[in-house]
Amino acid sequence: MPKMFGFSRRKMKLGRLKSHQGDSLHAPRSPVRPVKRLSQSNGENLIATSVSGRIDELECQYLSGTSDYNGPVFDHTDNWTVISTEGDRPAPRFSHAAAMIGSKMVVVGGDSGHHLLDDTRILSLDKLTWALASPKIYLSPSGRSSKIPACKGHCLVPWGKTIILVGGKTEPSSERVSVWSFDVETECWSRLEAKGEIPSARSGHTVTRAGQHLFLFGGENSKGKKLNDLHMFDLKSSTWLPLRYKGTGPSSRSNHVAALHEDRNLFIFGGHSKSKTLNDLYSLDFETMVWSRIKTRGIHPSPRAGCCGALCGNKWYISGGGSKKKRHAETIVLDVVRFEWSECVTPPGSSITSNKGFSMVSLCQRDRVVLVAFGGNRKEPSDKVEILAQFQNDHAMSWRSAPDTDRSSYQDEYPLSNKVTRLYSFDSVARHSLASAVQDPEASGRRSFSDTLVEVANGSGSGNGSVSLRKQFSQEEESSLAQKLLRPVDDEKIRGSFQEKVRVSNPSEVYQSHDAKITNLIKRNHLLEEQLQALLESKETVEKDFNVAVKAKEEVERRLEEALKEVQLLKEKVSGLELAQEEANSLSNSVHSDNVRLEHQVAYLKAVLDGTWKELDTTRRVLSGERTRAMQLQNELYHIKHRYQTMENRAPTPRKH
């Protein structure tokens, strides 16, 4: 099946080598000293995979002449095994990141338990010695210092002879994701001046690579919010683009693992969500840009976050991880073609894979897979190195795992080339028309792959915004094949060869041979006509099926439009309900405040009334006392009046003189 990011393997291999060795920006060039070109040797082809599981031919070249992993330490191991290393050993750490470049494992940053680290350590696996990258610092074109900040929870991705560092929690902190490049030969860091819609700063995310493009998913921002956004970074143009997709994608999460298989399917597994630890598996098909949840077979992996993954061919090795209550040390394997889980090994509890925040990289050879784990934290940070080497007799490696394979073995996978070949053999008129249609590459409207990705990111190019990312390269493949058809056939050489045969042969034998050839050609012509008739009939059937499918698609689109209209109406109703709810809440608040005010007034009036009643009682008592006193005075007055009258009656009558 054609690949999303390169449809002709032959073209991919040649084009990628040319792009790596050309003048185009493969990685930031260091001003310290020029980068040396690699020379290919005849050594064993050892393939180092990135976090996405991809293998580049230039990386294979880089590995073939520098590594020898035939020693006993890299033989088959039944379980994870600690290996002893020498040199300038790194400080114990966790939440760091590691990546493989050739025979070197590069470890960057991490948390020492007391502070964040900013060092770069390199482990040479052929000598098992550590070295500290010399701190060569120079200014970027913008004038910024090219010294990476102390960081943890970041991602490292190999790209040719460089390491790309993306994101992470840094000191000092930043608002946006930063991208750095480390040249393994010059041991220099340089910051890529990113453009476009730069994602917000985050840690615990994943980054996978397909060619010159990085894909960032999820993570956790500085406020602890989980994310599930998907962004693409073009390494050559240093441009960020958000990717639009369809379907229900993975929920917001961090500390998950991701892998990119055959540059087409992006897999997401596990991680921490807002409230729980996950063990779900999702896949994004880059040709349709549709997310889907995968139903798997085999063992049922327990929920886990903080695990490490490495994709080798069709096998995705996932080690460690766990939840807040339990850690899982076992190494499980997912067949990404059959979607079947199986258990590889279960190491003891003291293994690195039971630590939190360890790193793991992989080396994929033709006959075995070597996993290398480093660091992590249990009760305290670790600086141990462990390996797991497994033979892969049943390991279904992809074509990139065998760069020396004969290209003719891939002929059947590209029906386009076979169709054009048959067209060249049996129909010269159609051949000429095809060649004339593509002989002007500018008139065909061809665009760069980055432009096509921009269309996908912006949702343009097709009606539903989910155009195939491989259409552009299929056009280029047709153009190159058709231009080959324009090469003139040397008729003089063919005619001279035929005449030479006539001279040295008997004429009668030549005529008989010619008649036999004509008879065979007539028979072949009849067979071809029958095949053509069968193809025409099948074409009619396919056209009918296609028409039915188009009608079904139109019906589905119509139903989808109706559903979207209903959803819009529901959204409007929900908005109206929300407004009504807000008004009801405001009225309720107003009524509540009025009730509180009335309660205060009633309490005040009740207090005043109580005081008034007390005053009335006092007044009543005073009036009662005054009334009693008035009655006493009245009685006294009555007694006085009565005594006065008595005295008058007793008084003698005055005499008259």
Side-chain angles (χ1 to χ4, degrees), residues 52-278:
S52 64
R54 295 186 72 259
I55 301 106
D56 283 336
E57 283 73 21
L58 187 59
E59 293 172 7
C60 296
Q61 283 187 349
Y62 189 41
L63 289 162
S64 61
T66 59
S67 306
D68 183 10
Y69 294 93
N70 295 324
V73 69
F74 289 102
D75 286 343
H76 183 274
T77 58
D78 295 331
N79 213 322
W80 286 94
T81 305
V82 178
I83 59 174
S84 60
T85 57
E86 299 177 352
D88 190 0
R89 295 171 61 93
R93 66 190 67 202
F94 61 96
S95 297
H96 54 280
M100 284 297 303
I101 290 290
S103 62
K104 299 177 179 180
M105 181 177 73
V106 182
V107 177
V108 178
D111 192 340
S112 67
H114 305 285
H115 59 276
L116 299 185
L117 302 171
D118 62 353
D119 57 344
T120 303
R121 303 281 177 160
I122 301 177
L123 174 62
S124 178
L125 291 176
D126 51 358
K127 299 178 181 178
L128 295 180
T129 56
W130 285 99
L132 173 64
S134 54
K136 298 183 180 70
I137 302 175
Y138 57 91
L139 296 179
S140 62
S142 63
R144 296 183 180 180
S145 173
S146 293
K147 177 177 173 58
I148 63 170
C151 56
K152 72 173 184 177
H154 48 286
C155 291
L156 288 184
V157 183
W159 186 38
K161 295 178 291 183
T162 60
I163 295 290
I164 307 298
L165 185 152
V166 182
K169 182 179 180 180
T170 61
E171 290 181 357
S173 61
S174 61
E175 296 182 357
R176 298 293 174 183
V177 167
S178 58
V179 183
W180 295 79
S181 174
F182 177 71
D183 192 310
V184 178
E185 288 191 348
T186 62
E187 297 183 354
C188 284
W189 282 100
S190 58
R191 181 167 182 169
L192 302 185
E193 301 296 334
K195 300 173 290 185
E197 299 184 29
I198 305 176
S200 59
R202 65 194 65 199
S203 61
H205 53 286
T206 55
V207 177
T208 54
R209 182 175 66 85
Q212 67 184 35
H213 301 92
L214 303 181
F215 297 94
L216 179 148
F217 175 80
E220 178 180 341
N221 63 13
S222 58
K223 298 181 180 180
K225 181 181 178 181
K226 309 295 183 181
L227 307 171
N228 66 341
D229 49 350
L230 180 64
H231 299 265
M232 185 193 72
F233 183 71
D234 190 329
L235 288 167
K236 288 194 175 181
S237 62
S238 298
T239 303
W240 282 103
L241 291 172
L243 293 183
R244 298 184 179 182
Y245 49 81
K246 298 191 297 181
T248 303
S251 59
S252 301
R253 64 190 66 200
S254 64
N255 296 317
H256 52 282
V257 288
L260 186 59
H261 180 247
E262 295 293 340
D263 291 350
R264 170 171 176 173
N265 294 309
L266 175 65
F267 293 98
I268 303 293
F269 171 74
H272 279 307
S273 67
K274 182 178 180 181
S275 59
K276 62 180 181 179
T277 306
L278 306 170

Side-chain angles (χ1 to χ4, degrees), residues 354-366:
S354 62
N355 294 351
K356 294 181 180 179
F358 72 100
S359 64
M360 186 178 75
V361 296
S362 64
L363 299 170
C364 297
Q365 291 178 292
R366 293 178 182 271

